[in-house]
Structure formats: C-alpha cells, structure tokens
Amino acid sequence: MKLIVTDRTGNEHELTARDDWSAMEVIRDANLPLSAECGGACACATCHVYVDEAWTERLPAAQQQEIDMLDFGVAVQENSRLSCQIKMTPELEGLKVTLAPESL
Ligand code: FES
C-alpha cells in the first residue's frame, strides 16, 4: 500500500508501506529525515508528522501516551500525530502525511 509523504522542502514521496509497519518505519526505511530517536516506543516525539485533513478522522484515535508525548513536539497542530503510532493497514492505502519541523 502507498504512504504519501511530503518532506520539509515540500517534495512529495510515494512510499510503499508494508502491512503492519508503522508509518515511522516506512518513512525511515526510505531515508527521509525523521529521527525517531526512541525507535518507536512513543517516548520522544521526534517522529512527529501532520496528517492530511482528509485522513485525520480515518485514523484510529491516539492513545493517551501519544497525546502526552505530543506535548514535547515542536509546532504541534490539531492534525499532529506520532508516526510510530500509526500502524499501516490496507484501510490506510494512500495515507498522506507531512514531516513536522525537527525538534531542537
Ligand atoms: S519514534 Fe519516538 S515517539 Fe515515535
């Protein structure tokens, strides 16, 4: 399935996501600049992405730990999510996200 990622320079990348991988793993596997420092443990907020408006309602809701960790993100918006907590499933075919600014 496809995961469409806009990088911080505005370029769009069409990535192939494997079932059950997290969006973070797909993005990192494609060598896009996402530091994902904690390796997907929902403990860093460096995998922060913005979810395209058309998709925000279609994603499973964030768990409390993700919501708490987003407090440490930079430039957090309504459509902010931690990409390590987005599990790629066939329902998410064509999901669009944008890399958030890097944390300092
Ligand atoms: S990789 Fe650390 S919270 Fe997602």
Side-chain angles (χ1 to χ4, degrees):
M1 69 207 97
K2 298 283 176 240
L3 171 64
I4 317 290
V5 180
T6 302
D7 66 23
R8 297 187 188 97
T9 61
N11 288 324
E12 199 170 86
H13 306 261
E14 189 176 296
L15 309 182
T16 300
R18 296 196 206 164
D19 209 9
D20 265 0
W21 276 32
S22 70
M24 176 278 276
E25 290 171 306
V26 178
I27 294 167
R28 217 170 47 169
D29 195 58
N31 290 321
L32 291 179
L34 189 77
S35 56
E37 278 165 24
C38 78
C42 198
C44 72
T46 61
C47 65
H48 178 197
V49 295
Y50 301 124
V51 175
D52 186 89
E53 250 177 52
W55 284 93
T56 49
E57 300 289 314
R58 293 161 72 181
L59 288 181
Q63 303 287 306
Q64 192 59 44
Q65 193 182 352
E66 178 182 353
I67 294 166
D68 291 346
M69 200 45 63
L70 269 170
D71 285 343
F72 297 97
V74 174
V76 173
Q77 304 176 358
E78 292 261 312
N79 59 343
S80 289
R81 293 294 300 262
L82 296 180
S83 58
C84 72
Q85 301 304 303
I86 301 173
K87 189 192 263 200
M88 296 306 297
T89 58
E91 293 74 42
L92 299 187
E93 164 68 38
L95 173 66
K96 281 187 173 184
V97 300
T98 298
L99 301 187
E102 267 180 305
S103 42
L104 301 172

